[in-house]
Amino acid sequence: QVQLVESGGGLVKPGGSLRLSCTASGFIFSDYYMTWIRQAPGKGLEWVSYISTSGSDTNYADSVKGRFTISRDNAKNSLYLQMNSLRAEDTAVYYCARDPCGGDCYSADYWGQGNLVTVSS
Amino acid sequence: QSVLTQPPSVSGAPGQRVTISCTGSRSNIGAGYDVYWYQQLPGTAPKLLINGNGNRPSGVPDRFSGSRSGTSASLAITGLQAEDEADYYCQSYENSLSGPNYVFGSGTKVTVL
């Protein structure tokens, strides 16, 4: 069965950096676009970034553009989110998710369990 | 501020039918882009409920259905059950200069009376 397991979250000071990882299993990872979606405490869902199957195509929400970098290692079935210059408003549960198509669906059919990132001094 | 607008809450008695609206614009739903619906039970990750062609993924009960018209979409739950008490989100996308952006609704809390 499809499984997505995130790791790497935690407490970080404003201006700091953190790298989230997501390990996939149960499907051919290299066949699917992947995405990161976050949810601030008590708030709704906010898309963060997506990456194409090869990693050559990426896009970011305006709120994280220039600070976050999405990447993937298909040999390791892994997705990453490098987060720099973190702000208090980046505090959220971060979910990695699979796009159900090989591209151009721009949705999420399987989600990880979520990983809490807290930005606070 | 969410791009897609949903009512904050809806409620109904067990067995009743409730609907959740999702209002977008000509940049997203009105452009013909697919609309998806997710269910988020308390303390858990969201789950895909309705996919882009209006179908239900395997395992989703047929009491959930999606529809769309113009710049809006709706999720209907018929025969409301206690386990349907959750937050529901609509999602579509819109194009930007850098590529497609996912857009989400503000979320609707369904309460079973």
Side-chain angles (χ1 to χ4, degrees), chain A residues 20-112:
Chain A
L20 301 182
S21 300
C22 171
T23 303
S25 61
F27 66 101
I28 302 174
F29 181 71
S30 57
D31 283 352
Y32 291 85
Y33 277 44
M34 298 294 294
T35 188
W36 288 98
I37 295 163
R38 69 184 181 183
Q39 186 171 33
K43 302 295 184 183
L45 301 171
E46 180 190 16
W47 169 72
V48 174
S49 179
Y50 76 74
I51 188 168
S52 64
T53 52
S54 66
S56 60
D57 181 25
T58 60
N59 198 19
Y60 300 90
D62 287 343
S63 58
V64 306
K65 202 169 289 186
R67 300 187 298 122
F68 289 13
T69 302
I70 191 172
S71 62
R72 65 191 296 162
D73 185 337
N74 287 339
K76 294 183 177 179
N77 289 343
S78 293
L79 175 72
Y80 307 102
L81 186 68
Q82 177 66 43
M83 303 184 293
N84 298 331
S85 303
L86 283 161
R87 306 166 180 166
E89 54 265 35
D90 295 318
T91 295
V93 173
Y94 285 73
Y95 296 100
C96 74
R98 187 185 83 166
D99 188 301
C101 309
D104 76 16
C105 265
Y106 307 109
S107 66
D109 64 346
Y110 285 94
W111 299 59

Side-chain angles (χ1 to χ4, degrees), chain B residues 3-60:
Chain B
V3 173
L4 306 179
T5 301
Q6 299 178 231
S9 64
V10 299
S11 61
Q16 282 190 329
R17 179 179 187 270
V18 297
T19 61
I20 301 170
S21 61
C22 173
T23 303
S25 69
R26 287 184 292 179
S27 299
N28 40 67
I29 299 175
Y33 299 142
D34 288 340
V35 179
Y36 302 85
W37 289 92
Y38 303 92
Q39 176 193 60
Q40 186 175 32
L41 297 169
T44 69
K47 166 191 166 185
L48 181 63
L49 207 59
I50 302 289
N51 61 27
N53 56 18
N55 293 334
R56 294 177 304 277
S58 173
V60 174

